Amino acid sequence: MELFPPLVAQVMLVLVGVIGIVSLVVGAYNSSILISGRRQFLKIEVLEQDIAKLQQEIKELKRKQLPVEESQPVAIVPPEPDPLESTGAEEVWAEFLKDYNNLAASMDVPKALEACETFAGTHQLTFLICLDHAAQENGMVSPKFAEVKQLTEGTYWAWPVPETGGAFVVVPNPLHDYDEKLHTEGGMKETFASNYEAGTCKEIKVRLPAKFQNRNDNWKIIQPGVIKVK
């Protein structure tokens, strides 16, 4: 005796087959999702490891990094103003320079010293020597000068320019021969541009006097001069 008619049996067989196929598809889908999820999980785990490693490297770099000192602002020192600029003083010292060069050209006469003393008294000269030709100030060479009492002792003569408040024009003492020591150690090469090369020169002519400023007995070159020796 048959439990199911033939038609019903065929339908059930087909239905069982469909259910089997569906189960396989669902199983395969679930398996693919599980594999994909595992891969994503592994990717996230690797990424987290990379981030942790990077953070550790950053900490190591910070620990090894030396402290950087803040750069100190550089003090900008303004140039010393020219006390003779735009005062018409050039016309005043031009006459002084003319008289000086006439005097310097006659140092071979018997009464040269007396002539220099008269010239110094007439023009109220201050006698200077260079204490340190290589002194530094604000990173630049700034020779140090000092006053002396004796005309023959001073290597520089400073003439006070009237109505300028401490401005002086400066010339070499013509009684001194111009030699290597005076040029290199006496401050002359810092005070005057010249044609000097070597040896001893007995004649000197000032083409442009040096400009000095005197503040509280601090003598400073404002502008070097120009001389010719032979």
Side-chain angles (χ1 to χ4, degrees):
M1 180 178 180
E2 296 181 359
L3 295 175
F4 300 99
L7 180 59
V8 174
Q10 290 179 1
V11 170
M12 291 183 67
L13 288 174
V14 171
L15 182 60
V16 170
V18 170
I19 292 173
I21 293 172
V22 171
S23 297
L24 291 174
V25 171
V26 171
Y29 178 74
N30 289 336
S31 178
S32 65
I33 290 177
L34 182 61
I35 293 171
S36 177
R38 183 177 298 173
R39 289 177 178 173
Q40 293 295 330
F41 177 77
L42 290 175
K43 287 182 180 179
I44 293 173
E45 185 178 4
V46 171
L47 182 59
E48 290 177 346
Q49 291 176 354
D50 290 341
I51 292 174
K53 185 178 179 180
L54 182 59
Q55 289 175 341
Q56 185 63 29
E57 291 178 354
I58 292 173
K59 289 180 180 179
E60 290 292 332
L61 288 175
K62 288 183 177 179
R63 186 163 56 248
K64 294 179 180 179
Q65 187 177 15
L66 295 176
V68 179
E69 296 182 0
E70 295 184 1
S71 58
Q72 297 297 326
V74 178
I76 301 176
V77 180
E80 194 77 21
D82 186 346
L84 304 182
E85 186 177 4
S86 303
T87 63
E90 286 81 356
E91 296 180 2
V92 178
W93 63 251
E95 190 65 29
F96 164 79
L97 185 61
K98 179 181 177 181
D99 293 343
Y100 167 83
N101 281 326
N102 289 335
L103 175 68
S106 58
M107 288 296 98
D108 56 348
V109 301
K111 295 185 177 182
L113 177 57
E114 293 180 13
C116 287
E117 290 174 342
T118 300
F119 181 86
T122 301
H123 294 88
Q124 299 181 340
L125 301 183
T126 299
F127 312 125
L128 304 175
I129 59 172
C130 181
L131 296 177
D132 184 0
H133 70 95
Q136 297 280 326
E137 183 175 336
N138 298 322
M140 300 179 65
V141 175
S142 181
K144 289 187 177 298
F145 299 88
E147 297 181 25
V148 293
K149 298 297 183 181
Q150 300 297 322
L151 178 146
T152 54
E153 184 182 357
T155 49
Y156 299 87
W157 290 353
W159 178 64
V161 180
E163 300 179 1
T164 55
F168 289 76
V169 293
V170 175
V171 294
N173 183 345
L175 290 170
H176 290 263
D177 293 339
Y178 197 104
D179 56 15
E180 182 70 24
K181 184 176 182 180
L182 186 62
H183 182 72
T184 58
E185 299 178 19
M188 284 293 175
K189 68 177 181 179
E190 288 81 18
T191 308
F192 297 98
S194 72
N195 62 323
Y196 179 78
E197 294 181 355
T200 300
C201 301
K202 295 186 176 296
E203 294 184 27
I204 186 169
K205 182 175 182 178
V206 175
R207 297 187 178 277
L208 182 69
K211 298 177 182 179
F212 277 43
Q213 182 79 39
N214 179 26
R215 292 177 180 172
N216 300 321
D217 295 327
N218 182 24
W219 294 84
K220 182 178 294 187
I221 301 173
I222 303 301
Q223 179 180 305
V226 180
I227 60 175
K228 181 179 180 181
V229 295
K230 64 178 182 178

